[in-house]
Amino acid sequence: MSVDLELVQRVQAGDKKAFDVLIMKYQQRIVHVITGFVHDPVEALDVAQEAFIKAYRAIPNFRGDSAFYTWLYRIAVNTSKNHLTARARRPPAMDVDAMDATNYYDAPELKEFETPETKLVSDELQRVIHQAIESLPEDTATAIKLRELDGMSYEEIADVMGCPIGTVRSRIFRAREAIDIQVQATMNEGEQQ
Amino acid sequence: MTVNYNEILSALIDGELQGQELEQALHLLHTNENARQQWQRYQLASDVLHGHELAQQSYDLTEKISFSINDEPSYSVTKNNVISLPQQFWKKSINFAIAASVGALAVVGVMSQSENNLIADNVQLAVSENVEPLARAQTTGKRWTVGEKEVEQRLNTYLVDHNEYTGASGVFSYARVVSYDMGQ
């Protein structure tokens, strides 16, 4: 069973804290999806919050027919569209009404919407992370690439690399530690500027 | 915090934790702010590697949302309500198999009924005037009444047994309606 499903089941059984972990895990992606509809960053965070609360209320009905993130993504998109519809009824504060939002939904340019600042941060992080991976010992770099870029499970990586699963786990961890040092440095630089 | 804890958090990102270690990781995330930040940075790097763009540089909605859902009810849905994908597959397969079996039985049933009709059309029963019936059956209204109580009781017992047997053995329900009422 996936960790997501395990967490969902915990929420369904009354463990509200398990929902915190799902928020921590998916908030970045969900806020990005919502920013595609609601361009104002502060407003997007409010809509994200609303989407997570809706997800919590609907979670007893989640039956695992799709992955949890897919389900959450749909809630986020619907919440964004409802938000835009509600905005369109009032004096327009933005140039996107509900109809546009529906059209935008299928448009990749809306999904990929980003400000120059966020684009810059994403690009810089991408560069730093790839650089960190390239400077790793070969077996460590291979393990993290197989995991993150090829999406393999620990078991599959162990098969490919001919080593125990425990070794795969520690190699991936070491790679993450090395990447994290660079990520922290980049984030600190960003905050100082 | 020891290195091992970070390794557990790393494995949590990959969904590779179970049992005791999963409990440990969740406990850490709920009780240790450093662990929480560490895990979020691991998650951020993982998201970037997967090509997910960042919306904004740093924020954490967890606290705000947790506060908002504090007033919401806690759920008590049992684990069995969430159906995993393999279970769904088997459930659908079983439903399909049952539907196919019912269909096949229906076809066989219609075919055998047609055969019975053919036999009934072509067969002539031998008749003998001297044969004494074991029990005389008469019709009153739409129901047969059997002259001898003992025979009627035995017939009823057969029918009850038959109905019970069909119910218990998985024979399909169309065979359960059995009586000796006229016209049936």
Side-chain angles (χ1 to χ4, degrees), chain A residues 1 4-10 12-13 59-66, chain B residues 77-85 87-88:
Chain A
M1 190 200 305
D4 280 4
L5 199 56
E6 170 79 35
L7 291 170
V8 167
Q9 287 182 344
R10 281 166 185 251
Q12 289 177 334
I59 216 164
N61 302 323
F62 178 79
R63 294 178 58 83
D65 296 335
S66 60
Chain B
V77 183
T78 56
K79 283 193 170 191
N80 294 337
N81 283 18
V82 177
I83 301 172
S84 64
L85 287 174
Q87 279 176 307
Q88 282 178 45

Side-chain angles (χ1 to χ4, degrees), chain A residues 10 12 20 63 118 154 177, chain B residues 14 23 42 55 66 82-83:
Chain A
R10 281 166 185 251
Q12 289 177 334
D20 290 355
R63 294 178 58 83
T118 59
Y154 285 5
E177 285 285 271
Chain B
D14 299 324
E23 296 295 337
Y42 285 165
S66 291
V82 177
I83 301 172

Side-chain angles (χ1 to χ4, degrees), chain A residues 143-160:
Chain A
I144 191 77
K145 280 180 189 169
L146 290 175
R147 171 63 213 152
E148 294 287 23
L149 304 179
D150 297 320
M152 286 189 186
S153 67
Y154 285 5
E155 195 179 353
E156 288 167 329
I157 297 169
D159 278 349
V160 169

Side-chain angles (χ1 to χ4, degrees), chain A residues 19-78:
Chain A
F19 195 67
D20 290 355
V21 182
L22 291 167
I23 300 167
M24 281 190 264
K25 187 171 181 182
Y26 291 118
Q27 58 181 339
Q28 279 280 346
R29 282 194 241 173
I30 289 299
V31 171
H32 176 65
V33 167
I34 290 169
T35 311
F37 293 87
V38 183
H39 298 181
D40 179 65
V42 178
E43 223 176 306
L45 290 183
D46 289 342
V47 176
Q49 190 176 333
E50 194 187 333
F52 274 110
I53 293 168
K54 279 184 182 172
Y56 178 78
R57 286 179 183 151
I59 216 164
N61 302 323
F62 178 79
R63 294 178 58 83
D65 296 335
S66 60
F68 176 74
Y69 178 68
T70 311
W71 182 77
L72 185 62
Y73 175 91
R74 286 193 202 117
I75 290 175
V77 168
N78 287 336

Side-chain angles (χ1 to χ4, degrees), chain B residues 47-84:
Chain B
D47 283 349
V48 171
L49 271 172
H50 280 109
H52 297 294
E53 304 289 349
L54 303 177
Q56 287 168 28
Q57 199 166 359
S58 62
Y59 54 82
D60 188 1
L61 297 173
T62 319
E63 208 171 310
K64 268 182 136 181
I65 297 168
S66 291
F67 184 75
S68 299
I69 63 174
N70 240 358
D71 297 333
E72 301 282 333
S74 288
Y75 302 117
S76 57
V77 183
T78 56
K79 283 193 170 191
N80 294 337
N81 283 18
V82 177
I83 301 172
S84 64

